[in-house]
Amino acid sequence: NSLLLQKVQSGISALDESTLRQKFQAEIRQLNKLFPSSNRERELLTILRRMHSMDIVQVQNALNTIRKIFEALLDTVCEEQDVPSRLDRKAQIDYLSGRKYYQNNTRQDNPLNQPVFPEYLQHSALALWRLSSAASHLNNDAIACTKNTSIGATHLLLDFVNWVGVWMDE
């Protein structure tokens, strides 16, 4: 009986992954194109599989993984656009959005004639960075983030993956 139960559970898990692969095939394809020899696809599937979990540890783990994928995507855009080195993430986002940014505690004028990030993406990127950063540090908030935080951040990440993929193709 336990062997049969194990096979049924394994089949259900494979079916869940197959469903996720089909539903999010565009995002998975973009990630594989952007990071061909990495584990990003597996990380994304793990996030998607667990994003509805109520367990705070799984929510924090998902947000930590979201941060890793988001930062890899942002680094890809920064390399492509020759963003000044040693900028923190907020300054990188501001720079790519065509806004003034801080470097070494000094406000800098932005040399971009045309912003790389559209306004909505700037807000999404800031939200992703802030949410995933907050989850990656020891957090003693009286009311912790919930599965809704994980779901929202996951969908922001999916949008960011698509945008970077399309932008890199242009």
Side-chain angles (χ1 to χ4, degrees):
N1 285 344
S2 69
L3 182 59
L4 179 62
L5 183 61
Q6 200 173 31
K7 286 188 179 199
V8 168
Q9 287 174 334
S10 177
I12 291 170
S13 180
L15 181 60
D16 287 345
E17 184 169 311
S18 172
T19 302
L20 289 173
R21 283 182 184 282
Q22 184 178 6
K23 187 174 181 180
F24 298 103
Q25 63 183 321
E27 293 81 1
I28 291 169
R29 187 175 49 252
Q30 291 289 13
L31 268 184
N32 285 332
K33 197 157 80 173
L34 291 165
F35 307 105
S37 60
S38 74
N39 205 24
R40 299 290 178 215
E41 176 182 345
R42 177 68 38 212
E43 292 171 339
L44 181 61
L45 287 169
T46 300
I47 293 166
L48 292 168
R49 197 176 302 114
R50 297 180 180 166
M51 79 173 157
H52 292 283
S53 174
M54 293 291 286
D55 180 44
I56 187 64
V57 172
Q58 285 199 21
V59 170
Q60 289 177 333
N61 288 343
L63 290 170
N64 282 327
T65 306
I66 287 169
R67 181 180 180 170
K68 289 191 317 192
I69 296 171
F70 168 71
E71 288 182 345
L73 290 164
L74 186 59
D75 287 342
T76 299
V77 176
C78 286
E79 288 171 16
E80 195 70 26
Q81 284 295 305
D82 294 325
V83 173
S85 62
R86 300 182 190 220
L87 294 183
D88 64 26
R89 295 296 181 191
K90 182 175 182 330
Q92 289 174 334
I93 294 166
D94 287 343
Y95 182 93
L96 291 167
S97 301
R99 299 180 179 276
K100 291 184 179 189
Y101 62 96
Y102 282 91
Q103 185 174 28
N104 301 325
N105 294 324
T106 305
R107 191 169 180 169
Q108 305 288 326
D109 285 328
N110 197 315
L112 292 179
N113 293 329
Q114 182 77 16
V116 176
F117 286 169
E119 187 175 357
Y120 86 92
L121 196 71
Q122 174 205 8
H123 296 298
S124 293
L126 285 171
L128 272 168
W129 172 68
R130 288 180 173 142
L131 282 171
S132 61
S133 293
S136 67
H137 304 294
L138 182 59
N139 197 335
N140 295 323
D141 292 340
I143 301 173
C145 54
T146 67
K147 73 174 186 174
N148 296 315
T149 307
S150 179
I151 293 168
T154 299
H155 285 281
L156 286 174
L157 178 66
L158 292 170
D159 193 42
F160 198 72
V161 167
N162 279 317
W163 185 91
V164 172
V166 169
W167 178 78
M168 289 292 287
D169 283 344
E170 291 181 350

